[in-house]
């Protein structure tokens, strides 16, 4: 277990949970830990199923620096290696930077052990990324886990052998005992372990069969299988063939429905749930009413594993077992049909998630889309590479706007959207949706040129097609672009027009509410605080009626801005605290950093200029992952400038800069935690802010910038 002084792993980069007991490998674990301390790149190699990932997870759990675990097995496109790394480590970035640039910046902040598991099908791309990371990040160590080396200079290889005789028998007996079967340490059990070369996965599969067969009966069947494959001699049988033999033997012992489901499950990338399996894999010899029973048998036979996630119970198939089943699926000639059914399920899921985003299930949607991302990517790839499927790729990329925008995946979303709109699909409705979502993503990334181009194209084509919905969205997002570039009169005109169009067609969702919030912001910047408050109170009411929390957090931000301007700092802090908590829960980096900026100003107003400077420093560290700080907007920047002027005046230049530097050393989790930690703990000498633009001579001087001071 991790000691109390061990740093936490990255937000999402935990090693896989151990679902059953870890057997043996004491010497190997110590040896791997020693290798990691003496070399910056260590690669654990060995045959499939030999236990490489389990050993690495055991060592990483006790590692003394921060760690991040990345599973590369679900990735198929070499370009997605760096996306998988950023996603697994929970590194949110809203800019046009590549995920690699984000990883380089974020990992530079602290010593880190990066684990890359299952890279063998993406060796070249993984090696190139690792070489650059190690070259530019002297505090980084990499533990690679795969069937072959990366082939880089300085790579320390750690070949993992199968279990020894005693450990192999112990594993077999332990796994059998978990199923209520007692196996003696007798010659038959030892012979079975020897025939399986002590490969843990092969032993797991064998143990699952002990419910129906004795070790002696398993030996007879296994001997038949070996003779079939080797012509009677197995002295030279390589270990990878031993595993394939064990998998094939287990496959032969399955019933026809179990074999069929095994093959069909291989269309899923990453984990999957029962509902998806029932839709995708049923039919043609496998009724949906039998899926649960057949799936349960595959689980009992260790063909798949069950795990708990934020989205509920899910299932996973080991990569080696998946590869065997995928070969069978191709041999049946049914692979394309199954991939199309898989795609159809995830189109339906994305459509459901988009609708439910505007509901009390918004958090559930965010959790669901996070665990389904590997299969959503597979569905997108299928649509964008299969003839006549481009329109569905455009629809899917556009329908996932809430994932790209609301859940902190702008860079990945832009990649899929740009690929989709580059194809001529012949379906105008799907293209228009992808275009306005692409424009929206580019606006939030601060990339105004491409944003303007995509939105202009969307508007022109929508007018020709008389598509009222696409026209409203294009106008809305063009108004948003005008807002963040300080063209407030144009922003107000466009946003009011878009909202009128939404009302005319009966559109009401999170996007429409965000249009009202953006209009409120434009009104507030132009000095009409009562109108801004009226608009946002209405948004908050609608959000609460529908259980919407994401757009609501932005409404709270505008209400907090108005409260501060009206001199009610306590009310502003209350609103901002709730706003920050919600934005952070959705991984909405833009919402988080905007809130931190305004919290800094409120903190200065309440009489703690040192803490205000710390929060400004924390926000400054986050802005490079968002885009141009405060959009380069004079209006969005005004509170920041007022806060800096007041805090610098109260503390002096040297002390102010020291506090900003201290805040700049906080990562996102620490910054948000610090900002939320002030809730209910006001400075005793706080002075109420004057109404309107605060007169900063009312802010008291003094206060420290260490944690706990000035509070």
């Amino acid at each position: 277990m991790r000691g109390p002084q061990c740093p936490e792993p990255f937000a999402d980069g935990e090693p896989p949970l151990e679902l059953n007991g870890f057997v043996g490998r004491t010497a190997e674990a110590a040896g791997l830990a020693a290798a990691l301390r003496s070399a910056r790149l260590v690669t654990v190699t060995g045959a499939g199923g030999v236990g490489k990932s389990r050993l690495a997870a055991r060592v990483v759990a006790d590692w003394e620096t921060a760690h991040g675990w990345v599973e590369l097995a679900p990735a198929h496109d070499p370009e997605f290696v760096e996306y998988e790394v950023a996603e697994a480590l929970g590194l949110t970035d809203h800019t046009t930077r590549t995920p690699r640039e984000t990883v380089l910046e974020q990992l530079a902040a602290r010593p880190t052990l990066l684990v890359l598991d299952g890279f063998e099908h993406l060796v070249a791309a993984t090696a190139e990324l690792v070489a650059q990371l190690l070259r530019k990040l002297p505090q980084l160590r990499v533990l690679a886990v795969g069937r072959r080396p990366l082939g880089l200079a300085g790579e320390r290889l750690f070949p993992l052998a199968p279990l020894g005789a005693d450990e192999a028998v112990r594993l077999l007996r332990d796994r059998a005992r978990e199923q209520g079967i007692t196996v003696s340490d007798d010659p038959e059990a030892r012979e079975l372990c020897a025939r399986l070369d002590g490969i843990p996965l092969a032993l797991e599969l064998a143990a699952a069969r002990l419910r129906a067969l004795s070790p002696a009966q398993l030996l007879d069947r296994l001997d038949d299988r070996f003779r079939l494959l080797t012509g009677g001699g197995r002295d030279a049988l390589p270990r990878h063939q031993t595993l394939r033999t064990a998998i094939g033997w287990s496959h032969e012992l399955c019933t026809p429905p179990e074999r069929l489901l095994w093959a069909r499950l291989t269309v899923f990338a990453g984990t999957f749930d029962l509902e998806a399996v029932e839709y995708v894999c049923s039919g043609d010899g496998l009724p949906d009413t039998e899926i649960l029973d057949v799936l349960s048998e595959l689980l009992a036979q260790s063909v798949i594993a069950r795990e708990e996630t934020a989205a509920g119970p899910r299932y996973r198939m080991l990569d080696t077992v998946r590869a065997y089943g995928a070969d069978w699926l191709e041999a049946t000639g049914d692979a394309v049909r199954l991939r199309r059914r898989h795609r159809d399920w995830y189109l339906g899921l994305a459509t459901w998630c988009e609708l439910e985003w505007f509901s009390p299930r918004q958090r559930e949607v965010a959790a669901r889309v996070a665990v389904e991302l590997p299969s959503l990517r597979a569905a997108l790839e299928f649509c964008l590479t299969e003839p006549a499927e481009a329109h569905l790729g455009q629809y899917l990329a556009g329908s996932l706007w809430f994932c790209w925008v609301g859940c902190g995946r702008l860079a990945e979303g832009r990649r899929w959207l740009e690929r989709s709109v580059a194809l001529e699909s012949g379906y105008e409705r799907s293209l228009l949706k992808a275009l306005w979502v692409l424009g929206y993503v580019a606006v939030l990334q601060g990339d105004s040129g491409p944003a303007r181009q995509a939105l202009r194209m969307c508007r022109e084509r929508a007018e020709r097609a008389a598509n009222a919905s696409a026209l409203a969205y294009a106008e809305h997002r063009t108004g948003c672009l005008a807002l963040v570039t300080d063209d407030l009169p144009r922003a107000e005109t466009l946003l009011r027009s878009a909202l009128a169009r939404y009302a005319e067609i009966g559109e009401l969702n999170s996007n429409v509410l965000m249009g009202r919030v953006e209009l409120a912001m434009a009104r507030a910047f132009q000095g009409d605080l009562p109108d801004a408050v009226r608009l946002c109170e209405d948004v908050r009411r609608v959000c609460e009626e529908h259980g919407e929390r994401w757009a609501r957090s932005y409404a709270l931000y505008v209400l907090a801005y108005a409260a501060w301007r009206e001199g009610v700092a306590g009310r502003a802090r209350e609103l901002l605290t709730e706003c920050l908590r919600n934005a952070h829960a959705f991984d909405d980096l833009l919402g988080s950093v905007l809130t931190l900026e305004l919290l800094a100003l409120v903190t200065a107003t309440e009489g703690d200029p040192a803490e205000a400077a710390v929060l400004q420093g924390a926000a400054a560290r986050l802005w490079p992952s968002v885009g141009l700080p405060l959009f380069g907007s004079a209006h969005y920047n005004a509170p920041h400038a007022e806060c800096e002027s007041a805090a610098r005046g109260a503390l002096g230049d040297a002390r102010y800069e020291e506090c900003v530097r201290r805040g700049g050393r906080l990562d996102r989790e620490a910054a948000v935690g610090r900002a939320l930690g002030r809730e209910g703990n006001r400075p005793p000498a706080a002075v109420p802010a004057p109404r309107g633009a605060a007169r900063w001579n009312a802010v008291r001087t003094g206060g420290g910038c260490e944690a706990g001071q000035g509070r």
Side-chain angles (χ1 to χ4, degrees):
M1 298 295 292
R2 297 176 58 78
Q5 302 305 315
C6 293
E8 290 299 315
F10 286 87
D12 302 306
E14 285 276 24
L17 294 175
E18 290 187 353
L19 301 179
N20 43 32
F22 189 84
V23 175
R25 300 292 198 196
T26 303
E28 290 94 333
L32 180 55
L36 278 170
R37 292 189 180 92
S38 62
R40 295 183 60 213
L41 171 60
V42 178
T43 302
V44 181
T45 61
V50 81
K52 301 182 295 296
S53 299
R54 287 292 297 264
L55 177 66
R58 174 53 59 104
V59 171
V60 168
D62 294 323
W63 194 249
E64 56 267 20
T65 64
H67 63 258
W69 187 286
V70 184
E71 290 191 21
L72 292 176
H76 298 289
D77 186 341
E79 293 184 24
F80 260 105
V81 170
E82 55 196 48
Y83 282 92
E84 291 283 358
V85 173
E87 172 75 19
L89 301 184
L91 305 183
T92 305
D93 188 277
H94 286 339
T95 71
T96 56
R97 296 184 304 177
T98 66
R100 180 172 306 194
E101 292 170 321
T102 302
V103 171
L104 281 166
E105 178 189 306
Q106 301 275 359
L107 293 185
R110 54 177 170 172
T112 300
L113 172 63
L114 178 64
V115 187
L116 303 175
D117 187 18
F119 65 84
E120 52 271 350
H121 59 306
L122 298 166
V123 172
T126 305
E128 193 270 330
L129 174 63
V130 168
Q132 185 177 18
L133 292 177
L134 290 174
R135 186 167 61 250
K136 295 192 173 184
L137 302 173
Q139 292 182 301
L140 178 70
R141 294 179 187 274
V142 175
L143 173 58
V145 183
R147 298 181 197 176
R148 53 182 292 187
L150 286 169
L152 296 175
E155 181 179 22
R156 174 79 61 84
L157 297 182
F158 192 88
L160 186 63
L163 293 171
D166 290 341
E167 289 184 341
V169 173
R170 181 181 160 199
L171 177 63
L172 182 72
R173 297 180 68 193
D174 281 4
R175 296 298 182 259
R177 188 181 305 114
E178 290 169 5
Q179 302 182 72
I181 306 298
T182 300
V183 175
S184 302
D185 184 357
D186 56 22
E188 286 83 4
R190 287 191 169 266
E191 179 64 15
L192 178 61
C193 293
R195 294 292 181 90
L196 294 174
D197 282 341
I199 296 175
L201 176 55
L203 293 168
E204 299 259 5
L205 294 170
R209 291 294 173 187
L210 291 173
R211 295 182 307 157
L213 300 170
S214 69
Q217 290 172 315
L218 285 178
L219 272 172
D220 290 341
R221 290 173 178 267
L222 191 57
D223 277 341
D224 291 341
R225 179 73 182 179
F226 277 132
R227 281 193 292 273
L228 177 64
L229 289 175
T230 65
R234 81 176 294 278
D235 290 344
L237 189 65
R239 287 202 168 99
H240 74 271
Q241 186 61 68
T242 301
L243 177 61
R244 189 165 182 82
T245 300
I247 294 174
W249 155 68
S250 186
H251 185 266
E252 289 175 0
L253 293 176
C254 287
T255 64
E258 290 164 7
R259 291 181 211 160
L260 193 56
L261 183 56
W262 181 341
R264 292 178 178 179
L265 288 174
T266 63
V267 299
F268 291 100
T271 62
F272 46 88
D273 65 10
L274 177 61
E275 282 186 311
V277 175
E278 287 176 332
Y279 178 86
V280 175
C281 300
S282 63
D284 290 341
L286 192 59
D288 57 2
T289 54
E290 296 181 12
I291 289 288
L292 178 57
D293 290 339
V294 179
L295 190 72
S296 298
E297 280 302 309
L298 292 180
L299 180 64
Q301 295 164 31
S302 298
V303 174
I304 59 172
R306 185 179 187 273
E307 59 186 50
E308 296 295 331
T309 72
R314 297 180 67 79
Y315 303 91
R316 179 187 299 275
M317 182 176 283
L318 287 178
D319 200 37
T320 308
V321 176
R322 182 192 302 276
Y324 189 93
D327 288 344
W328 273 83
L329 183 62
E330 291 291 342
T332 65
D334 205 24
V336 173
R337 185 186 72 85
L338 262 294
R339 292 188 186 109
R340 188 169 283 114
R341 284 183 66 84
H342 174 272
R343 188 275 320 280
D344 290 345
W345 171 262
Y346 284 97
L347 276 173
L349 178 68
T351 301
W352 177 85
C353 285
E354 184 183 23
L355 291 171
E356 290 298 317
W357 182 257
F358 185 54
S359 81
R361 303 178 76 170
Q362 201 171 51
R363 291 275 180 86
E364 178 187 335
V365 168
R368 180 69 180 271
V369 81
V371 297
E372 298 285 14
L373 203 54
S375 274
L376 286 166
R377 288 170 179 157
L380 280 163
E381 191 66 38
F382 180 84
C383 292
L384 298 179
T385 54
E386 283 289 312
E389 302 278 357
H391 65 292
L392 295 176
Q394 291 169 345
Y395 172 81
L396 181 53
S399 295
L400 289 170
W401 69 266
F402 63 91
C403 175
W404 316 137
V405 171
C407 302
R409 297 183 177 91
L410 287 178
E412 179 175 349
R414 184 160 178 183
R415 179 180 183 272
W416 289 115
L417 289 160
E418 287 179 338
R419 280 186 62 186
S420 73
V421 302
L423 300 174
E424 187 53 58
S425 68
Y427 288 75
E428 198 72 2
R429 190 182 186 89
S430 296
L431 175 61
L432 290 173
K433 185 166 190 175
L435 279 170
W436 76 253
V437 176
L438 174 59
Y440 185 17
V441 166
V443 167
L444 294 181
Q445 288 183 309
D447 205 2
S448 57
R452 193 172 287 109
Q453 180 181 359
L455 293 170
R456 183 188 301 116
M457 183 183 298
C458 182
R459 180 164 186 163
E460 290 172 353
R461 297 185 72 140
E463 287 173 342
R464 289 198 298 270
N467 188 315
S469 176
L471 190 56
Y473 279 100
E475 195 167 53
H476 173 186
R477 292 307 162 196
T478 306
C480 181
L481 178 60
L483 173 64
V484 299
T485 54
D486 286 338
D487 190 350
L488 298 183
R490 183 164 187 262
E492 183 174 345
T493 298
L494 289 168
L495 290 169
R496 287 191 185 280
S497 176
L499 290 170
R501 292 181 189 275
Y502 287 141
E504 185 176 345
I505 62 177
E507 192 90 339
L508 181 62
N509 54 34
S510 298
N511 278 300
V512 175
L513 295 179
M514 284 296 289
R516 296 180 189 176
V517 171
E518 289 151 3
L519 176 60
M521 197 78 255
R523 297 301 300 148
F525 284 156
Q526 293 176 93
D528 191 347
L529 293 178
D531 194 35
V533 169
R534 179 188 62 78
L535 284 164
C536 285
E537 288 291 2
D538 184 59
V539 169
R540 182 160 70 167
R541 176 186 59 78
V542 175
C543 286
E544 288 169 355
E545 287 174 356
H546 290 270
E548 212 281 358
R549 303 179 69 85
W550 176 69
R552 180 176 179 272
S553 68
Y554 283 91
L556 297 182
Y557 171 84
V558 180
L559 290 171
Y561 176 86
W564 175 79
R565 282 293 181 195
E566 292 175 337
V568 191
R571 175 61 175 159
R573 175 174 291 281
E574 178 185 332
L575 291 164
L576 289 170
T577 296
E578 187 176 357
C579 177
L580 180 58
R581 189 178 289 114
N582 283 329
H584 188 59
F586 283 114
D587 273 337
D588 184 349
L589 193 54
L590 174 60
S592 296
V593 73
L594 283 173
T595 307
L596 281 174
E597 288 279 10
L598 197 50
L599 267 172
L601 178 59
V602 170
T603 301
T605 303
E606 291 176 323
D608 196 343
E611 183 66 14
V614 170
L615 292 178
Q616 283 200 312
R621 174 174 172 176
L622 295 179
W623 274 114
S625 294
V626 178
L628 191 61
L630 294 157
F631 311 112
S633 159
H635 292 93
Y636 276 99
N637 188 64
H640 174 91
E642 291 182 45
C643 179
E644 179 179 347
S645 175
R648 193 182 289 274
L651 299 172
D653 289 344
R655 201 160 170 212
Y656 171 79
E657 296 294 345
E658 177 191 349
C659 290
V660 168
R661 285 193 297 273
R662 187 174 300 279
R665 290 193 286 271
L666 300 174
D667 62 18
R668 181 161 59 111
E669 290 289 334
V672 170
R674 180 159 182 151
L676 294 178
R678 289 178 55 83
E679 186 178 7
N681 189 19
R682 302 281 67 75
V687 178
R691 295 182 64 81
R695 298 183 178 278
W696 289 105
N697 59 0
V699 178
R700 71 177 175 88
T701 62
C705 56
E706 295 286 350
Q709 292 184 339
R711 297 191 177 191

